Amino acid sequence: MAHDIVFFLAADDETAAATRLRGPGDACESVTCHCIEPDSAIAEWDMYFEEPSAEAPPLEQIYAWRPWPEWVTAPLNDGVEVLLCRSG
């Protein structure tokens, strides 16, 4: 299922976790995206930064990408997730 999501940079995990219910607001610079899967988007964008290309990476390359994003807060059944991506 596609999601409406906000990508943002937080100073630390505590700052990121504090955004769970209200979003990043003015506390963090952010970009709002619509109709994408956040974890696979993070993987795909990271690959583009490593090796820019006009083509999308093959699915096998995306599935093999590491490290996958981690949850900063426990996922609940409310549609809100706060993920952290650490560069490998």
Side-chain angles (χ1 to χ4, degrees):
M1 178 191 307
H3 302 277
D4 290 343
I5 62 172
V6 177
F7 286 99
F8 63 93
L9 296 175
D12 52 43
D13 290 358
E14 186 176 305
T15 302
T19 68
R20 178 159 187 350
L21 297 177
R22 58 176 172 70
D26 293 334
C28 304
E29 193 170 334
S30 64
V31 174
T32 301
C33 302
H34 305 284
C35 301
I36 62 172
E37 291 291 339
D39 52 357
S40 58
I42 291 169
E44 194 170 331
W45 294 344
D46 195 57
M47 289 177 205
Y48 286 135
F49 290 131
E50 288 177 7
E51 189 175 327
S53 171
E55 300 295 322
L59 289 178
E60 297 80 23
Q61 185 179 357
I62 292 174
Y63 296 148
W65 181 78
R66 296 285 182 264
W68 279 93
E70 305 166 14
W71 281 297
V72 173
T73 59
L76 302 174
N77 195 20
D78 63 357
V80 176
E81 295 180 23
V82 179
L83 298 169
L84 169 69
C85 182
R86 300 186 196 276
S87 295

